Amino acid sequence: MENFRKVRSEEAPAGSGAEGGGAAPGPFADLAPGAVHMRVKEGSKIRNLLAFATASMAQPATRAIVFSGCGRATTKTVTCAEILKRRQAGLHQVTRLRYRSVREVWQSLPPGPAPSPAPAPAPGEPAASLSVLKNVPSLAILLSKDALDPRQPGYQPPNPDPGPSAASTAPTSKRSLGDPAAGEGAAKRSHPGPGEGGAGRTA
């Protein structure tokens, strides 16, 4: 493919992919009317995605949000969902993994710099292009404020709230680690040095 360049990439039509079939966007067919759908792409900025997602989920009318990405964007999809779960507790999660058919169109490169402009192709001459059909993994993560069916595949309950014990033990551990150091320093100061000890005995 070194003599070709990718012109565009588009999702292949057809019902090869959506779970449950139909015209429902994505694998979740029974979403709430006010659900937000975040399409994560390879070049998307996580900061921008989370800013919009956090503001949307802060509204009482928004009950659910879906992060979806395919190919190299699956890692960012998981990252966005995990960060949002830490920012807002009590979210139920359902994860769906499937494959999507993507058609890539490649166009041949010119052989090299020509001294004069290349002549235009004849009207009946086919374009020098190549179409490649690929199956790429696609990930969709649903986060809902309302309870979901725990029996469905890919369900995860809300994360438990962190207790106050974790925050309270941190300062205590620091003080406990500092006490031996302080005692050791005092012990070092109580013992005289070699020169001091010898002077005391000669006197």
Side-chain angles (χ1 to χ4, degrees):
M1 302 293 289
E2 53 187 28
N3 295 329
F4 289 80
R5 64 181 181 90
K6 187 166 67 173
V7 178
R8 64 181 182 275
S9 178
E10 56 189 11
E11 185 176 359
S16 62
E19 296 180 358
F28 307 106
D30 52 351
L31 288 178
V36 179
H37 191 186
M38 304 290 296
R39 297 185 181 273
V40 183
K41 299 182 179 180
E42 183 180 354
S44 301
K45 300 294 184 181
I46 296 180
R47 177 179 63 255
N48 300 337
L49 293 172
L50 287 175
F52 183 82
T54 304
S56 300
M57 291 296 285
Q59 302 177 5
T62 304
R63 307 303 303 172
I65 186 170
V66 177
F67 290 96
S68 64
C70 63
R72 298 182 180 179
T74 54
T75 303
K76 288 187 177 180
T77 304
V78 176
T79 302
C80 291
E82 292 297 328
I83 295 178
L84 185 60
K85 285 166 56 179
R86 293 190 185 100
R87 292 184 178 181
Q88 185 168 357
L91 295 179
H92 299 259
Q93 176 179 341
V94 175
T95 305
R96 298 286 174 83
L97 177 64
R98 55 178 183 163
Y99 283 88
R100 298 171 61 180
S101 298
V102 177
R103 179 178 289 108
E104 296 180 350
V105 179
W106 297 73
Q107 186 178 13
S108 61
L109 296 174
S116 60
E125 183 180 353
S129 61
L130 180 65
S131 180
V132 180
L133 189 64
K134 299 173 59 177
N135 290 330
V136 297
S138 176
L139 186 68
I141 301 177
L142 168 64
L143 299 178
S144 174
K145 298 178 182 177
D146 304 324
L148 302 174
D149 186 5
R151 297 171 298 179
Q152 58 181 321
Y155 173 80
Q156 294 184 20
N159 294 332
D161 297 334
S165 59
S168 60
T169 55
T172 306
S173 61
K174 290 181 181 179
R175 288 195 299 268
S176 63
L177 291 175
D179 290 340
E184 184 179 354
K188 289 181 179 180
R189 289 193 299 270
S190 62
H191 290 286
E196 296 178 359
R201 287 193 297 270
T202 54

